[in-house]
Amino acid sequence: MKKIIYMDNAATTSTSRAALDAMIPVLEREYGNPSSLHQLGQQAADLLADARKRVAACIGAQPDEIYFTSGGTESDNWAITQLAQAGAAKGKKHIISTAFEHHAVLHTLKRLEKEGFEVTLLDVHQDGIVRVDELKAAIRPDTCLVTVMYANNEIGTIQLIAEIGAVCREQGIPFHTDAVQAVGHLPINVAKENIDLMSMSAHKFHGPKGIGALYCRRGIRLTNFIEGGAQERNRRGGTENLPAICGMAAALEDACTGMEERSKTVSAMRDRIIDQIVQNIPYVRVNGDREKRLPGNVNICFEGIEGESLLLRLDLEGICASSGSACTSGSLDPSHVLLAIGLPKEIAHGSLRLTLDEENTEEDVQHLLEVLPGIVSGLREMSPVWEEMMKENS
Ligand SMILES: *Cc1c(COP(=O)(O)O)cnc(C)c1O
């Protein structure tokens, strides 16, 4: 079998050795229920408390500010729904967000709109960055929540989170950020960055799938999301997924150790890919700001071709990539993120997202750069759209 070159880390990551080593003993031996009073239960409770402490430490939070959930989607749903409800109780039903959030956020906002909330989606401009003064201008007396993602999952752009947080804090408006793409990849300190609530997901930083957390600052009242037992301080019922929780803590610690070094290596590969593509392939556009982006994110549109056919050709070469978010690929609508940064539909269709991490090598990059120009020109030769474009240009 051909070697797999995995460049789809924004969709999910491999499970790290550290995570596996933390999970396997728990799966094998620590089957106690953390709510049980006997010794096996108490051992499990200790492991749970320890994992909570370690996750908190990695983001500059306190252990009692961490609520384990089933992942990023649940954390987003919980944070937004509950802040909206709290706002409505005070007669405030206006929410500010952005046009390029993950669907876990956008679809939650859609539901709230149907329930009578008013949502302002901020422009993310051509560079994929929200402007803080535009956020300030959008705030109204009835604004009950601001939710802006930390880093975008498709184009990798990083937002001015600390500044946005400061504006919200000053105005007394709760601020939530979907930091699923940022946690474990960028240094984050929730206290210093004025973040009130933050969503995270383990499988985006080499932890297991189906586990994540919601950070909720002390002083922000969090209402119950899942009714049941007293787990997660009565807020989210259900026996804790202890093996996954332990895996998440280990993966996060691992990701936060040596982050700067790793980030340098990964961003060097990213920059080489972008530079080489721009140099060697005509009619391409780099999506999102080149500096303020995640270390491993490459997002480029190739005019005149379909992202999906490009993906299939790359797959034949053993390269796993994406044309947008995993959730939208397979549908014919172009990515809402690329439309939000102002790309015309026909160009947004030809997008390629490569998301690298430290497991990628220079050889991987070399192989990609060797095969990509040929694949693109091959597809363009067969494309009626491309033929049209060339006619118009000649
Ligand atoms: C992956 C992702 C999610 C969803 O997280 P899950 O744990 O898969 O539910 C939410 N937001 C962003 C930005 C993501 O990249």
Side-chain angles (χ1 to χ4, degrees):
M1 213 178 84
K2 208 178 236 137
K3 182 190 171 221
I4 288 203
I5 297 178
Y6 190 74
M7 295 187 172
D8 199 14
N9 285 283
T12 196
T13 57
S14 64
T15 315
S16 67
R17 191 69 249 166
L20 289 169
D21 286 345
M23 287 167 76
I24 290 166
V26 182
L27 284 163
E28 278 177 347
R29 292 190 296 276
E30 301 293 345
Y31 53 85
N33 187 323
S35 300
S36 298
L37 293 179
H38 48 67
Q39 45 179 313
L40 208 56
Q42 286 315 292
Q43 261 164 245
D46 288 347
L47 285 170
L48 179 63
D50 181 57
R52 198 184 303 282
K53 205 168 84 188
R54 289 157 61 204
V55 168
C58 289
I59 59 163
Q62 300 302 316
D64 64 359
E65 296 174 319
I66 301 295
Y67 298 83
F68 288 112
T69 66
S70 65
T73 301
E74 183 186 324
S75 297
D76 285 343
N77 272 263
W78 188 2
I80 293 168
T81 303
Q82 93 101 34
L83 289 175
Q85 280 167 352
K90 293 185 207 148
K92 296 181 173 190
K93 297 187 84 172
H94 176 239
I95 300 170
I96 300 173
S97 187
T98 78
F100 77 161
E101 297 294 313
H102 189 273
H103 283 138
V105 169
L106 286 179
H107 291 174
T108 304
L109 294 176
K110 270 258 144 33
R111 172 171 53 78
L112 290 168
E113 265 180 335
K114 283 192 195 127
E115 292 170 10
F117 286 83
E118 212 181 312
V119 178
T120 301
L121 295 182
L122 298 171
D123 188 3
V124 294
H125 297 259
Q126 235 181 343
D127 56 7
I129 312 275
V130 173
R131 303 297 189 263
V132 180
D133 53 344
E134 290 178 11
L135 166 77
K136 249 187 210 162
I139 292 176
R140 312 192 318 207
D142 62 341
T143 304
C144 62
L145 151 68
V146 171
T147 174
V148 174
M149 72 197 314
Y150 205 114
N152 184 268
N153 46 303
E154 288 187 41
I155 57 173
T157 49
I158 301 166
Q159 306 306 314
L160 301 160
I161 291 300
E163 291 174 43
I164 294 172
V167 169
C168 294
R169 192 65 56 88
E170 203 184 279
Q171 305 269 341
I173 301 166
F175 171 48
H176 165 256
T177 184
D178 173 341
V180 171
Q181 289 292 332
V183 173
H185 301 275
L186 301 172
I188 293 181
N189 184 303
V190 287
K192 285 194 186 132
E193 292 171 78
N194 311 302
I195 297 167
D196 292 321
L197 292 98
M198 183 172 86
S199 303
M200 349 180 202
S201 175
H203 76 99
K204 302 291 175 76
F205 51 77
H206 297 284
K209 296 172 196 11
I211 190 75
L214 177 63
Y215 154 79
C216 180
R217 184 171 66 83
R218 276 182 195 163
I220 301 267
R221 220 177 72 83
L222 193 63
T223 49
N224 300 8
F225 192 57
I226 295 181
E227 303 298 341
Q231 291 91 354
E232 302 302 298
R233 288 179 296 290
N234 289 313
R235 298 289 183 267
R236 185 191 186 268
T239 303
E240 301 85 349
N241 186 351
L242 191 62
I245 288 171
C246 294
M248 174 175 176
L252 185 55
E253 272 181 346
D254 199 41
C256 292
T257 316
M259 183 189 281
E260 205 183 323
E261 197 72 13
R262 208 172 315 123
S263 169
K264 261 190 208 147
T265 318
V266 176
S267 53
M269 289 192 279
R270 170 199 69 192
D271 292 341
R272 178 158 167 244
I273 293 175
I274 297 178
D275 290 341
Q276 288 292 312
I277 291 177
V278 170
Q279 243 173 53
N280 298 327
I281 305 178
Y283 296 99
V284 298
R285 298 187 194 205
V286 180
N287 297 316
D289 191 87
R290 282 216 49 184
E291 306 296 324
K292 294 190 199 81
R293 71 191 299 134
L294 289 168
N297 180 287
V298 175
N299 191 309
I300 292 188
C301 284
F302 298 86
E303 292 187 36
I305 61 177
E306 291 285 335
E308 275 73 20
S309 31
L310 185 53
L311 285 191
L312 295 177
R313 294 297 175 93
L314 286 172
D315 196 32
L316 290 176
E317 293 292 336
I319 300 168
C320 302
S322 162
S323 64
S325 71
C327 323
T328 43
S329 54
S331 80
L332 281 174
D333 292 334
S335 137
H336 70 284
V337 173
L338 297 181
L339 298 181
I341 60 169
L343 287 190
K345 264 190 182 169
E346 58 286 2
I347 293 178
H349 269 302
S351 70
L352 173 69
R353 180 187 74 180
L354 301 163
T355 41
L356 287 77
D357 77 358
E358 70 279 10
E359 287 173 357
N360 291 115
T361 62
E362 284 300 329
E363 289 76 57
D364 292 352
V365 172
Q366 193 57 36
H367 181 62
L368 169 81
L369 292 172
E370 273 163 20
V371 300
L372 190 60
I375 293 177
V376 171
S377 60
L379 288 171
R380 280 176 173 169
E381 269 165 34
M382 303 186 317
S383 156
V385 180
W386 177 255
E387 200 181 333
E388 238 0 81
M389 254 183 73
M390 289 301 104
K391 254 191 231 150
E392 277 165 27
N393 286 356
S394 64

